[in-house]
């Protein structure tokens, strides 16, 4: 057996990558921060496993870091002023939260999820190295696909890119061969389909949206419970209407966060997919909204803008939920 048959540690290590979320480049909220700050986000996210091994998890099961500026300078290969600037940049857009722990105690640093709007999820990106999951696409050669599971999770470590049906890519295919197959150049524009075909396609996409837009195994999953998406699917006709509806809800959340930050002077992030009670409340609020729409229709009354009514309904609910959570925390802190 030749020496060339063995895997080398340095080769496998050289094939690992950091994940850099695409949303940091597509969402206007993050376009103003420097590339250094975006890279810092990827580096910090890669340290999640280290935090878990050290049990750096608070009472709410939120992962945090304990890094002095000196340690961050080493991690980011930057000077002290640069590290301070990077932290301020991430903090200013709600990607990093610094929690003071008291005199002579290191701060707890929390890395926060980026805001993903409907326009980010569905935005067309003309780049061969960006995948549909919202991360920079990282393709590993076949020799690296048998690495340990801790190197292929969603914590910011190695991500193996597969094709649509989760089958291994055949890297030996000669793409220069003319296949002479009619479907070699796919064109899904509406001009190629009849109205009845388009209707069937829309019905399928809308009725099954709760399956492919939500769930743990869904790339760039929408931050809603499946019941919420299924409810919306009963009231819209096309994928475009579905996207618009979801976008209004996400914009309502973004705007109430901005309002609260302006009032309190601190970053606020309402993370929908980790709060079961919030998820249920969103679904209930939507049912009330649809009930109002139907009652208005039956009584021959008209709401001038269903979109504005939805936006206001959702914004009010997010504000109510946030206030109730803060009231509970303040009560617990005073006891």
């Amino acid at each position: 057996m030749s020496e060339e048959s063995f895997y080398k540690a340095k080769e496998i290590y050289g094939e690992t990558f950091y994940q850099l979320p695409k949303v940091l480049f597509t969402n206007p909220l993050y376009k103003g921060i420097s590339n250094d700050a975006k890279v810092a986000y990827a580096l910090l996210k890669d340290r999640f496993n280290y935090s878990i091994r050290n049990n750096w998890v608070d009472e709410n099961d939120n992962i945090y870091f304990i890094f002095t500026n000196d340690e961050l300078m080493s991690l980011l290969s930057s000077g002290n002023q640069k590290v301070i600037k990077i932290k301020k940049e991430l903090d200013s857009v709600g990607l990093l939260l610094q929690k003071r722990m008291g005199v002579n105690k290191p701060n707890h640093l929390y890395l926060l999820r980026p805001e993903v709007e409907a326009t980010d999820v569905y935005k067309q990106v003309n780049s061969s190295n960006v995948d549909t999951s919202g991360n920079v696409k990282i393709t590993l050669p076949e020799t690296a696909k048998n690495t340990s599971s801790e190197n292929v999770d969603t914590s910011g470590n190695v991500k193996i890119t597969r094709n649509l049906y989760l089958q291994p890519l055949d890297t030996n295919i000669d793409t220069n061969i003319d296949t002479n197959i009619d479907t070699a150049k796919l064109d899904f524009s509406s001009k190629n389909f009849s109205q009845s075909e388009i209707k069937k396609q829309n019905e399928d996409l809308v009725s099954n949206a709760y399956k492919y837009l939500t769930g743990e195994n869904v790339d760039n999953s929408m931050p809603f419970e499946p019941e919420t998406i299924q409810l919306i699917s009963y009231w819209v006709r096309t994928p475009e209407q579905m996207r618009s509806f979801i976008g209004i809800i996400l914009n309502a959340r973004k705007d109430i966060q901005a309002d609260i930050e302006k009032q309190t002077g601190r970053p606020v992030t309402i993370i929908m997919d980790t709060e079961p009670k919030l998820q249920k409340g969103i679904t209930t609020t939507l049912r009330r909204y649809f009930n109002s729409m139907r009652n208005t229709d039956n009584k021959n009354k008209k709401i001038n803008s269903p979109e504005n009514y939805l936006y206001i309904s959702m914004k009010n609910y997010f504000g109510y939920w946030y206030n109730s959570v803060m009231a509970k925390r303040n009560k617990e802190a005073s006891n």
Side-chain angles (χ1 to χ4, degrees), residues 186-199 201-202 240:
L186 298 175
D187 184 357
F188 295 116
S189 59
S190 57
K191 68 178 185 295
N192 294 322
F193 300 95
S194 67
Q195 289 301 311
S196 62
E197 288 173 326
I198 293 174
K199 182 180 179 182
Q201 292 164 355
N202 286 339
E240 290 78 12

Side-chain angles (χ1 to χ4, degrees), residues 40 43-48 50-51 54 56 64-76 83 87 96 98 105-111:
L43 294 175
L44 289 172
K45 193 170 187 295
D46 188 62
R47 300 288 291 238
F48 275 170
Y50 184 77
S51 290
N54 284 276
W56 290 346
Y64 62 84
F65 307 91
I66 297 178
F67 285 142
T68 64
N69 273 8
D70 287 340
E71 290 172 312
L72 284 171
M73 286 164 58
S74 176
L75 175 66
L76 302 174
V83 165
K87 288 168 65 177
L96 182 69
Q98 303 183 67
K105 292 182 180 180
N107 292 345
H108 287 185
L109 305 180
Y110 291 82
L111 202 62

Side-chain angles (χ1 to χ4, degrees), residues 284-310:
T284 300
T285 302
L286 286 177
R287 283 200 169 96
R288 289 172 179 159
Y289 165 79
F290 289 128
N291 184 56
S292 296
M293 292 292 100
R294 181 52 49 84
N295 286 340
T296 300
D297 184 49
N298 290 339
K299 295 178 181 179
N300 295 320
K301 295 181 180 180
K302 184 178 181 181
I303 293 178
N304 292 330
S305 176
E307 294 84 359
N308 287 345
Y309 188 64
L310 172 63

Side-chain angles (χ1 to χ4, degrees), residues 319-330:
Y320 164 80
W321 180 86
Y322 175 83
N323 288 334
S324 64
V325 169
M326 294 308 298
K328 182 179 178 181
R329 291 180 182 176
N330 292 336

